[in-house]
């Protein structure tokens, strides 16, 4: 029952952006404010990223159950207010409230599972988490479209309320964790410095190359603010009585390596989920309505691999092979995807996606498992929140950098193949919707298809190069026995101790 509640909460956090993304055209048509459209997503992302480490620390200090329930309540309040928004400004503000709660949902799920289930047994539940992720990414656009068409866009937010109420009731009734009460106060200065630093980074990756040129004064200012505040944050964490992100957890080689691997996995995964549907719609003529289903080969392979990896890890206690295999498969999958052109069939692209999905399946939950196994129980929350934060930041960088490379390549190819007309078509956005694409003359449409193929080639080739870092980092992972494994009597007749890894296998 506890796991059911946790999975519902996890789905709330992951499903929301997918549903809202599909409803956005209708929302803009009703509320107006097209020029502020990007802030509906950006406000939510900023609040989620900035609040993630704070929720983890609050759970460590004051108890995970209370922190988790609070995050659900804040998320539901934000959902209800977003559904009642009367203009775009209100919607952006209420989405930020929703994001504050969402930051605690993912961290709460991971940390509570970390409290309840020993690392050795935790692999059994990886398939469930991967399944929720796949379900959200596939079903989100379909659910969003159905809700918007039949009930109106406000129900894209109201649908969270009954699901959240079930999660609240179950967590309150069946989750029993020891209460905590830290004598130390919250590190408010650390929270402020970290929030400003994360906000600056996310804004740079969101605005760079779209709202502002990468070399513009605004982007340079944000980079300066971000670097200064993060340096100040690191300095302050060495002196704070109860640091919001204790730096000693990074003394663990495995934890630091998993943070790097999680960052790159986020970089690659969200870049892939952005460009694959675009390629299949623009080049292969797939329907935008079923865009979530286009990712099924990748997500299905990710789900199966994650379940297999979890079972093997639980049975043997060994896990180092999975980051290594995941890094290798990710490199191969991204390279294969970079080979796609205007003649690539859906079957071929589906097979390429499955290779990438298998690589991500080896990494998605193993990174969290090893990160949690590398810290003491008292730091479970900050370990979970840090791993989640690095993956979130990786996704921001991935979308920004791969997106900038994609847009630049599309515009260059359109200029080469369609001249001034091609440049004008893509000067505002390199991503044309299906309706705009259908209106183009045949020559311009073919030029755009070639341009998208070239753009995805460049983006995925960059991803393959970046993914090499995963393989390198995985080679340096030290296979520390997972806590909670088989026990053997101590030689002196004292307390039982974990059996050595060789004996476990």
């Amino acid at each position: 029952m506890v796991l059911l509640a946790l999975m519902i909460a996890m789905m709330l956090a992951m499903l929301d952006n997918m549903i809202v993304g599909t409803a956005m055209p209708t929302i803009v048509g009703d509320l107006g404010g097209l020029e502020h459209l990007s802030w509906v997503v950006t406000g939510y992302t900023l609040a989620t990223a900035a609040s993630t480490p704070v929720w983890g620390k609050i759970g460590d200090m004051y108890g995970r159950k209370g922190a988790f329930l609070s995050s659900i309540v804040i998320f539901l309040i934000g959902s209800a207010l977003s559904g009642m928004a009367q203009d775009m400004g209100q919607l952006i503000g209420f989405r930020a409230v929703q994001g504050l709660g969402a930051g605690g949902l993912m961290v709460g799920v991971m940390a509570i599972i970390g409290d309840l289930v020993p690392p050795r047994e935790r692999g059994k539940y990886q398939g469930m988490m991967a399944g929720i992720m796949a379900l959200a990414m596939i079903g989100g656009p379909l659910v969003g479209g159905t809700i918007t068409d039949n009930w109106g866009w406000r129900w894209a937010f109201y649908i969270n309320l009954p699901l959240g109420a079930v999660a609240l009731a179950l967590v309150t009734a069946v989750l029993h964790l020891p209460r905590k009460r830290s004598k130390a106060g919250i590190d408010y200065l650390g929270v402020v410095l970290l929030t400003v630093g994360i906000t600056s980074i996310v804004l740079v990756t969101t605005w760079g190359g779209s709202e502002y040129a990468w070399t513009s004064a605004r982007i340079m200012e944000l980079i300066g603010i971000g670097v200064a505040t993060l340096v100040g944050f690191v300095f302050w964490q060495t002196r704070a009585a109860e640091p919001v992100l204790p730096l000693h957890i990074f003394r663990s080689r495995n934890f630091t390596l998993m943070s790097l691997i999680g960052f790159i996995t986020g970089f690659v995964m969200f870049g892939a989920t952005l460009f694959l549907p675009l390629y299949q719609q623009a080049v292969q003529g797939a329907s935008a309505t079923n865009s979530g289903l286009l990712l099924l080969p990748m997500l299905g392979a990710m789900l199966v691999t994650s379940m297999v990896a979890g079972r093997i890890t639980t049975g043997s206690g060994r896990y180092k092979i999975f980051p290594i295999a995941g890094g290798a498969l990710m490199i191969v999958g991204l390279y294969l995807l970079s080979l796609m052109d205007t003649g690539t069939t859906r079957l071929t692209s589906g097979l390429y996606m499955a290779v990438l999905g298998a690589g991500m399946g080896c990494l998605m939950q193993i990174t969290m498992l090893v990160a949690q196994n590398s810290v003491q129980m008292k730091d479970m929350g900050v370990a979970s929140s840090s791993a989640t934060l690095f993956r979130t930041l990786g996704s921001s960088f991935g979308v920004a950098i791969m997106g900038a490379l994609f847009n630049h390549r599309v515009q260059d190819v359109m200029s080469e193949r369609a001249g001034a007309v091609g440049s004008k078509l893509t000067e505002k956005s390199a991503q044309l919707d299906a309706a705009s694409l259908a209106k183009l003359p045949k020559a311009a449409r073919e030029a755009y298809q070639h341009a998208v193929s070239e753009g995805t080639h460049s983006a995925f080739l960059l991803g393959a190069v970046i993914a090499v870092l995963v393989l390198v980092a995985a080679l340096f992972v030290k296979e520390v026995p997972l806590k909670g494994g088989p026990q053997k009597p101590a030689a002196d007749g004292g307390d039982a101790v974990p059996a050595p890894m060789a004996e476990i296998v």
Side-chain angles (χ1 to χ4, degrees):
M1 296 298 287
V2 171
L3 284 171
L4 175 61
L6 296 180
M7 293 303 108
I8 291 174
M10 190 174 180
M11 181 177 286
L12 284 174
M14 300 206 64
L15 199 60
D16 189 73
N17 260 342
M18 300 290 177
I19 292 178
V20 173
T22 309
M24 282 311 300
T26 307
I27 294 174
V28 171
D30 189 14
L31 299 182
L34 178 62
E35 66 277 13
H36 303 303
L37 173 64
S38 63
W39 273 103
V40 176
V41 176
T42 302
Y44 180 90
T45 304
L46 280 175
T48 301
S51 65
T52 293
V54 180
W55 281 115
K57 187 62 179 179
I58 290 174
D60 284 342
M61 292 175 65
Y62 302 111
R64 253 173 272 292
K65 181 176 179 177
F68 188 53
L69 289 173
S70 299
S71 68
I72 295 176
V73 170
I74 293 173
F75 181 84
L76 295 181
I77 290 173
S79 298
L81 292 174
S82 296
M84 294 185 285
Q86 299 301 309
D87 57 51
M88 192 61 78
Q90 289 183 10
L91 181 60
I92 292 168
F94 296 150
R95 283 281 286 164
V97 173
Q98 202 181 13
L100 287 175
L105 292 180
M106 288 294 291
V107 174
V109 170
M110 298 299 180
I112 289 172
I113 289 178
D115 273 353
L116 296 177
V117 184
R120 180 65 184 267
E121 300 296 319
R122 215 170 291 157
K124 295 178 182 177
Y125 305 101
Q126 290 177 356
M128 295 174 65
M129 296 182 205
I132 292 294
M133 184 177 295
L135 184 63
M137 298 181 86
I138 295 171
L142 299 175
V143 173
T146 302
I147 289 174
T148 304
D149 291 342
N150 294 285
W151 298 349
W153 67 265
R154 296 183 186 277
W155 277 97
F157 299 103
Y158 292 150
I159 194 67
N160 294 327
L161 301 181
L163 290 173
V166 172
L168 267 179
L170 288 175
V171 171
T172 302
V174 302
L175 178 61
H176 303 291
L177 293 173
R179 292 185 179 182
K180 301 177 183 178
R181 183 64 189 178
S182 174
K183 293 181 180 179
I186 295 175
D187 177 18
Y188 291 106
L189 178 58
V191 170
V192 171
L193 289 172
L194 184 60
T195 300
V196 173
I198 291 173
T199 300
S200 301
I201 290 173
V202 174
L203 285 178
V204 166
T205 57
T206 303
W207 284 349
S210 55
E211 297 286 329
Y212 303 96
W214 285 103
T215 55
S216 67
R218 179 60 56 86
I219 296 299
M220 292 297 107
E221 288 170 1
L222 286 171
I223 291 174
I225 292 171
V227 170
T229 51
L230 290 178
V231 169
F233 171 77
V234 171
F235 175 78
W236 174 248
Q237 293 305 280
T238 62
R239 287 158 173 74
E242 191 65 53
V244 67
L245 185 59
L247 299 183
H248 66 79
I249 62 177
F250 291 98
R251 293 175 189 162
S252 166
R253 182 171 75 183
N254 277 5
F255 183 84
T256 303
L257 290 172
M258 288 303 131
S259 298
L260 173 63
I261 291 173
F263 179 91
I264 299 171
T265 302
F267 186 106
V268 169
M269 188 179 88
F270 285 90
T273 55
L274 175 66
F275 295 113
L276 282 172
L278 177 62
Y279 168 83
Q280 292 189 298
Q281 290 169 35
V283 180
Q284 295 181 330
S287 167
T289 306
N290 299 323
S291 57
L293 296 176
L294 303 176
L295 299 174
L296 190 57
M298 182 178 75
L299 297 173
M302 186 176 76
L303 173 59
V304 172
T305 310
S306 183
M307 292 178 68
V308 172
R311 290 291 177 181
I312 293 175
T313 301
T314 298
S316 68
R318 293 193 178 275
Y319 52 81
K320 182 174 179 176
I321 184 61
F322 295 111
I324 294 174
L329 287 169
M330 189 180 286
I331 294 168
V332 173
L334 288 165
Y335 176 72
L336 290 174
L337 288 171
S338 75
L339 300 178
M340 296 189 303
D341 56 26
T342 54
T344 303
T345 65
R346 291 192 190 182
L347 175 61
T348 302
S349 60
L351 292 173
Y352 293 168
M353 281 190 279
V355 175
L356 176 59
M360 292 193 297
C362 290
L363 295 168
M364 288 301 295
Q365 303 304 329
I366 289 290
T367 52
M368 180 66 73
L369 172 65
V370 178
Q372 290 179 337
N373 190 60
S374 303
V375 302
Q376 299 177 19
M377 285 296 293
K378 68 182 182 66
D379 293 322
M380 186 66 68
V382 292
S384 303
S385 64
S386 297
T388 304
L389 175 63
F390 279 109
R391 189 178 298 172
T392 302
L393 293 178
S395 68
S396 295
F397 276 90
V399 170
I401 296 174
M402 293 173 77
L405 188 62
F406 173 84
N407 291 342
H408 180 73
R409 188 64 186 141
V410 166
Q411 289 166 352
D412 283 351
V413 174
M414 285 296 284
S415 297
E416 294 170 6
R417 289 180 170 268
V421 175
S423 298
K424 189 174 181 180
L425 283 172
T426 57
E427 63 180 354
K428 291 186 177 180
S429 173
Q431 301 179 29
L432 302 181
D433 57 31
S436 301
L437 194 59
K439 295 176 183 177
L440 294 180
K442 182 180 179 181
R445 185 164 60 250
E446 290 178 351
Y448 182 69
Q449 289 173 339
H450 280 283
V452 169
S453 295
E454 290 291 328
T456 52
H457 166 77
S458 299
F460 286 127
L461 198 58
L462 172 66
V465 172
I466 297 293
V468 171
L469 292 174
V470 171
L471 183 57
V472 173
L475 293 173
F476 288 94
V477 171
K478 184 179 180 182
E479 197 159 45
V480 178
L482 296 174
K483 300 164 187 173
Q487 305 287 305
K488 71 169 188 177
D492 59 0
D495 293 338
V497 296
M501 185 62 70
E503 294 184 26
I504 291 174
V505 176

